[in-house]
């Protein structure tokens, strides 16, 4: 299985918590909190990603975000996470595994964000 679907509800609280955790100023449009641009990487916490090792520490490699509109409090997002590639490479500290993903999010049936992310695990 290399694709999962899940939903994310953006709330003011989770946007504020994430913005504070990365020391990002909170932005608002019409009074609604706007999610920082890197927030989609946290959406995976709401889903069970079966191809990622449960106990392995992961670090982010490259990340790229494309937006059709800002992510704002009150939105309910339908998300699809796809595993595009898995590569094993030898590093100085042993074998590294590179997981390349695409996260596609829609709001009310329209595309709103795409996040391309590479996660790196060690020793798998």
């Amino acid at each position: 299985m290399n694709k999962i679907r899940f939903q994310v509800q953006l709330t003011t609280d989770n946007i504020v918590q994430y913005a504070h955790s990365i020391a990002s100023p909170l932005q608002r449009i019409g009074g609604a909190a706007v999610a920082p641009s890197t927030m989609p990487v946290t959406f995976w916490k709401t889903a069970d990603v079966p191809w990622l090792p449960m106990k392995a520490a992961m670090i982010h490699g490259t990340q790229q975000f494309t937006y059709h509109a800002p992510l704002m409090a009150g939105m309910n997002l339908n998300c699809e996470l796809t595993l595009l590639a898995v590569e094993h490479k030898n590093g100085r500290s042993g074998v590294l595994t590179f997981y390349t993903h695409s996260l596609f999010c829609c709001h009310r049936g329209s595309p709103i964000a795409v996040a391309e992310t590479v996660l790196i695990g060690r020793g798998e």
Side-chain angles (χ1 to χ4, degrees):
M1 172 187 244
N2 65 351
K3 188 179 289 193
I4 59 170
R5 291 182 177 93
F6 56 96
Q7 293 185 324
V8 173
Q9 182 176 9
L10 292 176
T11 66
T12 299
D13 286 345
N14 61 26
I15 290 172
V16 168
Q17 286 176 1
Y18 181 71
H20 288 320
S21 75
I22 63 168
S24 175
L26 183 62
Q27 297 181 12
R28 293 186 181 271
I29 295 177
V34 176
S37 62
T38 57
M39 191 166 180
V41 298
T42 68
F43 295 172
W44 302 14
K45 292 178 184 178
T46 65
D48 177 29
V49 183
W51 56 82
L52 291 177
M54 294 294 287
K55 297 185 182 204
M58 295 285 184
I59 60 170
H60 285 279
T62 60
Q63 297 181 96
Q64 179 178 330
F65 301 91
T66 304
Y67 288 93
H68 300 281
L71 300 178
M72 299 173 55
M75 288 183 167
N76 292 311
L77 305 177
N78 290 312
C79 300
E80 182 176 274
L81 179 66
T82 304
L83 177 64
L84 301 174
V86 177
E87 296 177 76
H88 302 282
K89 298 180 181 180
N90 289 320
R92 283 184 257 159
S93 61
V95 175
L96 301 174
T97 304
F98 292 73
Y99 299 90
T100 303
H101 297 90
S102 177
L103 175 66
F104 180 78
C105 299
C106 289
H107 175 63
R108 295 184 178 162
S110 296
I112 193 163
V114 178
E116 304 288 336
T117 305
V118 176
L119 293 179
I120 304 168
R122 193 174 83 171
E124 294 138 50

